[in-house]
Amino acid sequence: MAVEGGMKCVKFLLYVLLLAFCACAVGLIAVGVGAQLVLSQTIIQGATPGSLLPVVIIAVGVFLFLVAFVGCCGACKENYCLMITFAIFLSLIMLVEVAAAIAGYVFRDKVMSEFNNNFRQQMENYPKNNHTASILDRMQADFKCCGAANYTDWEKIPSMSKNRVPDSCCVNVTVGCGINFTEKQIHKEGCVEKIGGWLRKNVLVVAAAALGIAFVEVLGIVFACCLVKSIRSGYEVM
């Protein structure tokens, strides 16, 4: 029995929200894949909270897409079971997102500490590993920083000669510019704090996007429940 009256409007709005869910799902998958590609070229090693985050984002994106597909089928066929499944799974996704947000807030200092330790560890491998050297050089050049806390960290690397930093620390990067440098010629701020500051600036954008997605999901749950109630009433009349 087809829904009537105001439920037709609810059904239409639910279709619109389902399209939004699909777009959000594709966006999450793209962000997760991009983050994974970036992390694969960074110095963070092993299964850490930071390295697992892209996997969680991709998994949520795929799951959200499947849930949106279930919701679309349920709304199209006005199937009670499919709509109940859609509402439950969408609620679970919201719980996962809330848990991820709480975990991100709780472990924010641990992630920065982990990044600091890894950065310092890989600084020691800089003269011995070309891949590590290229990663650190790119980070120092992109963020205009030098060392972990500051440029003096490079003095603690045994295999690096004194009065020398990587050329990527220089304001104007040229071959050999890091040898017998002056402070005016290099970036003095450390990379850990510089990158941490960049993350703090961008976390507001991420939080705003998360709130937007959560609002759409709440609307989806409400509309799905309204449609479920209407479908159930139709079954009882029959």
Side-chain angles (χ1 to χ4, degrees):
M1 180 178 178
V3 293
E4 299 178 352
M7 284 301 103
K8 286 185 178 180
C9 181
V10 170
K11 184 177 178 180
F12 173 77
L13 290 174
L14 184 58
Y15 279 133
V16 174
L17 289 177
L18 288 170
L19 289 176
F21 290 150
C22 290
C24 290
V26 173
L28 286 172
I29 294 171
V31 169
V33 171
Q36 183 62 41
L37 291 175
V38 170
L39 284 178
S40 66
Q41 299 174 356
T42 62
I43 57 176
I44 296 179
Q45 305 291 332
T48 63
S51 63
L52 291 177
L53 183 59
V55 178
V56 174
I57 294 174
I58 293 172
V60 171
V62 172
F63 189 53
L64 181 58
F65 188 85
L66 293 176
V67 169
F69 179 76
V70 170
C72 186
C73 292
C76 182
K77 296 180 179 295
E78 297 182 8
N79 185 285
Y80 178 82
C81 292
L82 286 178
M83 291 310 302
I84 285 289
T85 302
F86 169 73
I88 292 174
F89 281 171
L90 195 58
S91 300
L92 289 176
I93 290 176
M94 278 199 61
L95 290 176
V96 170
E97 290 172 348
V98 170
I102 294 173
Y105 180 80
V106 171
F107 291 108
R108 67 191 187 284
D109 292 334
K110 183 177 180 180
V111 171
M112 288 307 300
S113 175
E114 170 191 306
F115 177 71
N116 178 54
N117 293 335
N118 275 287
F119 196 99
R120 292 180 181 278
Q121 179 181 351
Q122 296 307 318
M123 282 178 65
E124 298 179 2
N125 296 328
Y126 183 91
K128 301 176 288 186
N129 189 309
N130 290 333
H131 178 64
T132 298
S134 66
I135 291 173
L136 292 180
D137 282 338
R138 186 170 61 252
M139 294 179 70
Q140 292 189 143
D142 290 346
F143 287 93
K144 301 184 186 306
C145 57
C146 186
N150 54 57
Y151 72 97
T152 60
D153 291 334
W154 287 106
E155 297 177 0
K156 304 171 186 177
I157 306 303
S159 50
M160 291 284 287
S161 59
K162 291 186 177 181
N163 299 321
R164 180 180 180 182
V165 294
D167 293 342
S168 56
C169 287
C170 298
V171 175
N172 298 310
V173 179
T174 56
V175 177
C177 65
I179 302 175
N180 297 321
F181 63 91
T182 62
E183 289 190 2
K184 293 182 179 179
Q185 294 175 316
I186 64 170
H187 300 294
K188 297 182 284 294
E189 189 175 354
C191 291
V192 173
E193 181 58 33
K194 200 74 176 285
I195 295 173
W198 178 80
L199 290 173
R200 284 189 288 273
K201 289 179 181 178
N202 286 274
V203 74
L204 292 177
V205 178
V206 175
L211 285 174
I213 293 175
F215 178 72
V216 173
E217 289 172 345
V218 169
L219 288 179
I221 294 171
V222 171
F223 289 162
C225 290
C226 290
L227 193 57
V228 164
K229 184 178 179 180
S230 178
I231 294 171
R232 184 175 180 179
S233 297
Y235 287 158
E236 290 175 351
V237 170
M238 295 175 65

